[in-house]
């Protein structure tokens, strides 16, 4: 997530947003104008969403399409598609594909929700250049109807080519807690503990009985484990082995990464074991609490 100050107008110039690190696949992207520096009507449009980033611009109403616009602050959030839990609230992030037009389109949630969720959405493509927004109706726990609504400040014509729509649906009420990416790593060395280890054995704590640790800032927050001895040292994780996967470190192929599986999102890097690449989650190198 992030913000950008821009006066770029869709169709004329686009701002390119580059993610701090790549997603496995193109994520779901939502954008919103945050300021009111220019009193004329404006909203956001986005295009060319990839795993690396996306294009963003402002869009005036049709009557002022080519008039330019003052600089506004736009906020954006990118999240991998899927379902999961966010502060105890079930969420679904997804896309429709290039199917949505001026006619209402039914977007199904399956069995993800027990009651009607809160619904956020953006047109995620720019196949039709007429200024347009997203409308929805009949939101319930199983589906919602959405459509593209063209601006009519010039004419009454509202037929629109198919567009892709990105959405985020969240069940529940209250405050969702997010954290800004500081870009600072948090490397720690192993900690000796008398609870599960002998005097010569190191316990590297990557999770406790309450929660996994180092799971907040993607690749920027992880435990760096130095000098790990596979014959006597132990890595402590929260939960069970099936909650994790092992793979090459994103920074050095000679090191092994430990990843927490997160529903609906890219697996979260929680630890890097330096100078090791043959760990086994089902071995005595790991203990789960």
């Amino acid at each position: 997530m992030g913000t950008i100050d821009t006066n770029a107008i869709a169709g004329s110039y686009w701002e390119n947003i580059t993610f701090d690190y790549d997603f496995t696949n193109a994520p779901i992207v939502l954008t919103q104008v945050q300021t009111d520096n220019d009193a004329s009507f404006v909203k956001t449009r986005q295009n060319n969403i990839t795993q690396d980033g996306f294009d963003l611009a402002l869009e005036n109403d049709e009557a002022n399409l080519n008039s330019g616009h003052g600089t506004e602050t736009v906020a954006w959030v990118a999240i991998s598609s899927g379902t999961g839990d966010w502060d105890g609230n079930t969420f679904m992030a997804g896309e429709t594909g290039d199917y949505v037009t001026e006619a209402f389109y039914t977007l199904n949630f399956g069995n993800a929700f027990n009651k009607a969720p809160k619904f956020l959405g953006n047109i995620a493509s720019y196949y039709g250049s007429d200024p347009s927004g997203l409308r929805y109706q009949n939101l319930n726990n199983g589906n919602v109807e959405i459509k593209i609504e063209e601006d009519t400040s010039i004419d009454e014509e509202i037929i629109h080519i198919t567009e892709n729509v990105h959405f985020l649906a969240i069940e529940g009420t209250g405050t969702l807690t997010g954290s800004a990416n500081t870009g600072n790593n948090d490397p720690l060395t192993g900690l000796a503990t008398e609870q599960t280890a002998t005097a010569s054995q190191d316990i590297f704590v990557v999770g406790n009985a309450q929660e996994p640790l180092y799971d907040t800032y993607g690749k920027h927050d992880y435990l760096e484990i130095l000098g790990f001895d596979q014959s006597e040292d132990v890595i402590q994780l929260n939960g069970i082995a099936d909650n994790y996967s092992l793979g090459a470190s994103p920074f050095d192929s000679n090191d092994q990464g430990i990843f927490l599986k997160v529903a609906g999102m890219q697996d979260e890097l929680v630890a890097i074991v330096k100078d090791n690449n043959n760990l086994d989650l089902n071995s005595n190198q790991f203990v789960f609490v």
Side-chain angles (χ1 to χ4, degrees), residues 135-146:
R135 297 295 297 269
Y136 77 84
Q137 67 178 13
N138 298 328
L139 174 66
N140 58 67
N141 68 306
N143 55 65
V144 64
E145 295 176 342
I146 58 176

Side-chain angles (χ1 to χ4, degrees), residues 71-239:
T71 298
E72 304 284 1
T73 299
V74 175
W76 60 268
V77 61
I79 182 172
S80 296
S81 61
T83 59
D85 182 278
W86 188 348
D87 286 354
N89 303 289
T90 300
F91 76 88
M92 173 183 288
E95 60 182 307
T96 61
D98 300 329
Y99 298 113
V100 185
T101 67
E102 76 284 352
F104 275 110
Y105 169 92
T106 300
L107 171 62
N108 291 309
F109 301 135
N111 298 317
F113 303 113
N114 295 315
K115 58 183 179 181
K118 309 302 182 291
F119 183 80
L120 307 172
N122 278 121
I123 303 172
S125 54
Y126 191 69
Y127 300 130
S129 59
D130 284 351
S132 302
L134 185 68
R135 297 295 297 269
Y136 77 84
Q137 67 178 13
N138 298 328
L139 174 66
N140 58 67
N141 68 306
N143 55 65
V144 64
E145 295 176 342
I146 58 176
K147 73 173 182 178
I148 307 297
E149 184 174 75
E150 287 194 359
D151 178 76
T152 57
S153 59
I154 288 289
D155 55 51
E156 297 299 317
E157 185 272 318
I158 59 171
I159 296 174
H160 198 89
I161 192 171
T162 56
E163 301 275 10
N164 188 15
V165 169
H166 283 193
F167 70 91
L168 175 63
I170 306 175
E171 183 180 28
T173 59
T175 301
L176 295 173
T177 302
S179 299
N181 192 331
T182 64
N184 297 318
N185 292 341
D186 184 19
L188 299 176
T189 56
L191 301 174
T193 173
E194 297 178 354
Q195 295 178 349
T196 58
T198 66
S200 61
Q201 183 181 43
D202 286 328
I203 305 290
F204 293 84
V205 179
V206 189
N208 55 42
Q210 287 72 46
E211 60 183 351
L213 304 176
Y214 311 101
D215 63 340
T216 304
Y217 301 123
K219 294 178 184 177
H220 296 285
D221 178 48
Y222 59 88
L223 177 68
E224 187 175 68
I225 299 175
L226 304 171
F228 184 77
D229 187 336
Q230 295 189 28
S231 66
E232 63 178 14
D233 293 338
V234 175
I235 297 171
Q236 178 180 302
L237 299 172
N238 166 265

